[in-house]
Amino acid sequence: NPLVKILRKLEKKIYSSVSRILVCANDVKETLISRGVDEGKITVIHDWIDETSCIPVPKNENPLFDTFGISREDFIFTYALRT
């Protein structure tokens, strides 16, 4: 696919021009290394949670809907980032 070839060239140019690349997992790091990225530029910042203290709660039992006045029928997307 010609578009993929163009995008891969752009990707390599970007990787070579930056001083640091942050990735979220070792697998991503290994993928970039396999594509010729200097390992020294790559830093892995693991995106994790403690699964013993952070557990799913069914909508009908979740008190946060009532606390914040959110309809249980709404679609809710949440992303938390710790820096």
Side-chain angles (χ1 to χ4, degrees):
N1 183 335
L3 179 59
V4 172
K5 288 181 182 181
I6 292 169
L7 293 175
R8 287 284 184 225
K9 286 182 181 183
L10 177 61
E11 177 184 41
K12 285 183 180 185
K13 183 175 181 168
I14 292 169
Y15 291 151
S16 67
S17 69
V18 298
S19 60
R20 177 73 51 206
I21 300 168
L22 303 177
V23 298
C24 62
N26 289 323
D27 290 348
V28 178
K29 178 179 179 177
E30 295 304 320
T31 298
L32 294 180
I33 292 169
S34 74
R35 292 183 181 167
V37 176
D38 176 8
E39 182 176 359
K41 288 184 171 187
I42 305 169
T43 300
V44 179
I45 300 176
H46 296 279
D47 187 13
W48 61 271
I49 63 167
D50 178 358
E51 293 179 354
T52 61
S53 66
C54 186
I55 58 172
V57 178
K59 277 188 177 184
N60 62 339
E61 297 174 20
N62 190 330
L64 293 177
F65 286 94
D66 298 326
T67 300
F68 294 106
I70 301 170
S71 167
R72 285 179 171 78
E73 302 304 315
D74 289 346
F75 174 79
I76 307 295
F77 175 86
T78 305
Y79 179 79
L81 176 66
R82 182 177 148 191
T83 58

